[in-house]
Structure formats: C-alpha cells, structure tokens
Amino acid sequence: MTEPPDPTVSLIEYPSDFPIKVMGLTHDQFVPTIVELVTIHDPEFHEGRIEQRPSSAGNYLSLTVTVRATSREQLDNLYRALSSHPMVKYVL
C-alpha cells in the first residue's frame, strides 16, 4: 500500500515561472485590477506576462498570468487574493 502524499512537500521547484488562469466578466478594469493584485505578491510582475483570451460571446475574459513563484506561501496567498476578489469568477 502506498503512503498518502505529504502536504508539506511541494512538487514545484522554487523559484520558477508559474502560470495561473484567472477568469472573470469582460470589464475595462479587469486586467488592471488583476495586474495590481498579482503585483502585490510578485513585485516583478508586469502586463507583458499576461495572455488574454475572450470567450466566444465576449462576455468573459480568461487571463493566464505567469508569476515568478518563490514559495508555496506566496502562491497560496495569491490564490486566496484572486479567488476572493469580486471581479474574479474562477482561478485555476
């Protein structure tokens, strides 16, 4: 029988570039808001590290933000900040 994975062990090597997908309603302040939130957790982040993809009907916008991950704590805090923002529908 195999042992369950240790939750304190990370499969990510730090530091590394780490993509996070953020989805929300299309809004002119969505991208600047996400940039502002991400920059709090990754001060070197800039808008050039975002890929944008609108939904087929144009109602939603999917962003792939690539952050410089330095620790699990940093990523956990960033996920919490993004997930709790009212403009964000999903974070993957």
Side-chain angles (χ1 to χ4, degrees), residues 60-80:
Y60 292 90
L61 185 60
S62 170
L63 306 177
T64 301
V65 297
T66 302
V67 298
R68 188 68 176 161
T70 56
S71 69
R72 181 175 178 161
E73 180 182 22
Q74 174 212 27
L75 287 177
D76 288 348
N77 290 337
L78 177 54
Y79 269 92
R80 276 192 288 277

Side-chain angles (χ1 to χ4, degrees), residues 8-69:
T8 62
V9 174
S10 176
L11 299 177
I12 301 168
E13 286 188 33
Y14 299 102
S16 67
D17 290 341
F18 190 82
I20 300 172
K21 189 164 287 224
V22 183
M23 291 170 265
L25 290 171
T26 299
H27 186 281
D28 62 344
Q29 289 301 305
F30 185 62
V31 173
T33 299
I34 299 307
V35 169
E36 185 178 323
L37 273 174
V38 172
T39 304
I40 292 168
H41 300 276
D42 177 7
E44 296 177 13
F45 182 79
H46 56 84
E47 203 165 328
R49 295 183 61 102
I50 296 178
E51 292 178 35
Q52 299 184 38
R53 185 169 294 136
S55 65
S56 56
N59 296 327
Y60 292 90
L61 185 60
S62 170
L63 306 177
T64 301
V65 297
T66 302
V67 298
R68 188 68 176 161

